[in-house]
Amino acid sequence: MSETIKILLLENIHPTAHEMLKAEGFVVEGMSQALKGDELKKKLQGVHILGIRSKTQVTREILEAAPELLSIGCFCIGTNQVDLVTANRRGIPVFNAPFSNTRSVAELMIAEIIMLARQLGDRSREVHEGNWKKTATSCYEIRGKTLGIIGYGHIGSQLGVLAEAMGMRVIFYDIQTKLPMGNNRSCPDLDTLLAESDFVTLHVPETPQTKNMIGAAELGKMRKGSYLLNASRGTVVVLPALADALRSGHLAGAAIDVYPEEPESNGEGFQCPLRGLPNVILTPHIGGSTAEAQAAIGREVATSLLRFARFGTTTSAVNFPQVEVPRIANTHRIMNVHRNVPGVLRDINRIVSDRGANIQSQILATDPEIGYLIMDLNQDISDAVCEDMDALPTSIKTRVVF
Ligand code: NAI
């Protein structure tokens, strides 16, 4: 495609993304608000790439009204604001930033482990209220204590490294085999981890297996006087059971950042069975909320969009076959999205040979519905080949990228 790529960034996306995309020569328009309905449809005319955060709903209707749209960047973690299935069928890869706030969450956990061990939340509140209650009772160093990490993925393993540097002994449990970082040690099962840990922290995704993963039975298997931390997903811990374990004194404290039901916006009221319990830190889903994470999200998604616009790369797209092909000098690249039916490659190869060109490289990846092909030709006839390919009844989107 020879025309300039036009990008619309809604919802106050971080300036790093604007700068990176402009530096590539793309035309970038930014808006602070989310758009919806007809306003969004109108604004999308002529737009090739759309950047959003969580508030813009990109429905089937919106996608059908945006014929030039090539890709969508969700500058956040979640992607359920986009109709991913329709985007896939229309040849539109969707990117997000699942790991840009990993470090922010891991640092918060370190802070909370120390806060729980020293009952800092309570002491601070007492002094704010004018009560001087200096005490060392049930206050501990974290050095030498055991941290049990459930879910040793990006956050869990990063936390393991930081905790070890603070002098903690780190064990973890994961359903997949994971390489232990430093001296972290893998546990054979969840029960072993619960029985051995002074602090248990959850870093698993929301899946049918992790729903209510920590209930009364599991809390009962934790050490007396231990602590529970959850900054993963609200459905993982049964909060009434946790409240019981705290009230009975079996657990000495908890830090919770995520809840089964969370308010949609700031200022809404919030109910939770843990409110008012001693040595319980409750935070409003802020695990990943830092300036650094916002900037990193801007960089991560802008990089994915750039690589797709420039090279056709779809690695890390959430709804699309993943293809990444290194650039070969003196070649001309065409990318094609087509319906995944027999004979497409045969038709495409016939077009290329009829035009007298030679295929330098050709990579195809498919999912049940679509195929995504990146093809490098050694003659500059890409525009003509592109036109022929686009005319195939199986084609969804065809584009020359260089
Ligand atoms: P990840 O995908 O890198 O790691 C998750 C790990 O959990 C994987 O190693 C996986 O094998 C393991 N796992 C899955 N099911 C399991 C089970 N039943 N038992 C044991 N292990 C299991 O994810 P990442 O980036 O580390 O995020 C972890 C959680 O943190 C996610 O739920 C995410 O939504 C949440 N999160 C919360 C934030 C906040 O603001 N509080 C910010 C960022 C992420």
Side-chain angles (χ1 to χ4, degrees):
M1 191 173 65
S2 48
E3 64 185 308
T4 309
I5 300 260
K6 292 198 186 106
I7 302 182
L8 176 64
L9 299 180
L10 301 176
E11 300 188 62
N12 236 348
I13 285 166
H14 198 276
T16 50
H18 290 251
E19 286 153 21
M20 284 175 67
L21 296 166
K22 277 185 187 152
E24 280 293 313
F26 300 156
V27 175
V28 184
E29 181 181 352
M31 295 179 79
S32 57
Q33 72 273 36
L35 293 180
K36 56 182 178 185
D38 287 345
E39 214 182 345
L40 179 57
K41 283 187 203 164
K42 199 166 153 213
K43 199 76 197 162
L44 279 175
Q45 297 316 303
V47 166
H48 302 112
I49 294 177
L50 172 66
I52 57 169
R53 292 169 72 183
S54 55
K55 291 204 174 70
T56 305
Q57 298 296 319
V58 186
T59 59
R60 178 183 190 149
E61 204 189 321
I62 298 287
L63 290 165
E64 284 171 353
E68 285 114 319
L69 198 61
L70 297 174
S71 178
I72 298 172
C74 297
F75 287 75
C76 50
I77 316 299
T79 52
N80 43 15
Q81 67 279 43
V82 179
D83 180 340
L84 295 176
V85 173
T86 302
N88 165 286
R89 306 286 192 277
R90 297 185 67 83
I92 299 172
V94 177
F95 299 94
N96 67 340
F99 308 123
S100 293
N101 54 14
T102 298
R103 176 69 181 212
S104 302
V105 182
E107 286 190 10
L108 182 74
M109 304 328 288
I110 291 290
E112 290 186 336
I113 290 166
I114 298 173
M115 285 183 74
L116 291 174
R118 301 292 294 274
Q119 303 179 353
L120 270 192
D122 291 359
R123 289 304 86 76
S124 172
R125 195 183 57 246
E126 288 152 10
V127 176
H128 271 288
E129 289 167 352
N131 293 327
W132 189 264
K133 278 201 194 168
K134 183 176 162 88
T135 176
T137 308
S138 305
C139 292
Y140 306 99
E141 291 186 353
I142 64 164
R143 179 171 47 169
K145 305 297 184 298
T146 299
L147 173 65
I149 300 173
I150 305 174
Y152 197 66
H154 288 83
I155 297 171
S157 56
Q158 177 88 213
L159 173 60
V161 173
L162 298 180
E164 205 162 85
M166 306 286 295
M168 298 190 85
R169 177 177 163 262
V170 178
I171 57 177
F172 66 87
Y173 167 69
D174 198 292
I175 44 166
Q176 290 178 8
T177 305
K178 295 280 174 165
L179 175 73
M181 308 299 283
N183 295 315
N184 293 188
R185 191 169 54 76
S186 157
C187 279
D189 51 51
L190 183 58
D191 285 0
T192 308
L193 179 138
L194 295 174
E196 283 190 25
S197 303
D198 300 301
F199 296 82
V200 171
T201 185
L202 289 150
H203 300 288
V204 290
E206 184 172 55
T207 64
Q209 293 74 37
T210 63
K211 189 172 163 64
N212 298 336
M213 185 182 197
I214 303 294
E218 291 72 26
L219 292 163
K221 289 174 188 165
M222 287 176 65
R223 284 184 174 181
K224 181 160 172 48
S226 61
Y227 309 83
L228 181 77
L229 299 96
N230 184 22
S232 62
R233 298 301 285 263
T235 52
V236 176
V237 177
V238 181
L239 291 187
L242 175 59
D244 288 346
L246 288 160
R247 266 193 219 101
S248 73
H250 181 61
L251 291 199
I256 303 294
D257 189 44
V258 287
Y259 308 85
E261 275 154 33
E262 298 180 2
E264 297 236 319
S265 55
N266 286 348
E268 276 181 43
F270 179 63
Q271 294 303 325
C272 162
L274 304 176
R275 277 181 56 192
L277 291 176
N279 208 22
V280 172
I281 302 166
L282 301 179
T283 47
H285 204 145
I286 44 136
S289 304
T290 62
E292 288 83 354
Q294 289 306 314
I297 287 170
R299 272 194 304 275
E300 186 177 340
V301 181
T303 302
S304 298
L305 294 173
L306 275 176
R307 284 154 53 86
F308 176 69
R310 284 279 177 249
F311 309 114
T313 304
T314 51
T315 316
S316 82
V318 295
N319 66 334
F320 221 73
Q322 316 261 309
V323 181
E324 178 163 8
V325 185
R327 185 168 183 176
I328 308 171
N330 304 320
T331 57
H332 305 273
R333 177 164 295 182
I334 300 175
M335 43 152 275
N336 168 268
V337 187
H338 51 261
R339 284 192 289 115
N340 186 7
V341 291
V344 176
L345 220 48
R346 179 202 57 209
D347 293 342
I348 288 175
N349 290 344
R350 188 181 306 126
I351 288 170
V352 176
S353 64
D354 285 353
R355 292 272 177 187
N358 195 28
I359 297 171
Q360 194 84 17
S361 97
Q362 192 180 50
I363 310 275
L364 170 72
T366 59
D367 65 22
E369 292 297 326
I370 62 166
Y372 178 51
L373 175 83
I374 293 185
M375 182 168 71
D376 291 331
L377 303 181
N378 66 354
Q379 280 110 310
D380 188 8
I381 52 150
S382 310
D383 284 329
V385 172
C386 182
E387 224 166 86
D388 293 351
M389 280 166 72
D390 212 21
L392 289 172
T394 45
S395 278
I396 298 169
K397 260 189 179 22
T398 310
R399 182 165 70 102
V400 176
V401 283
F402 52 78

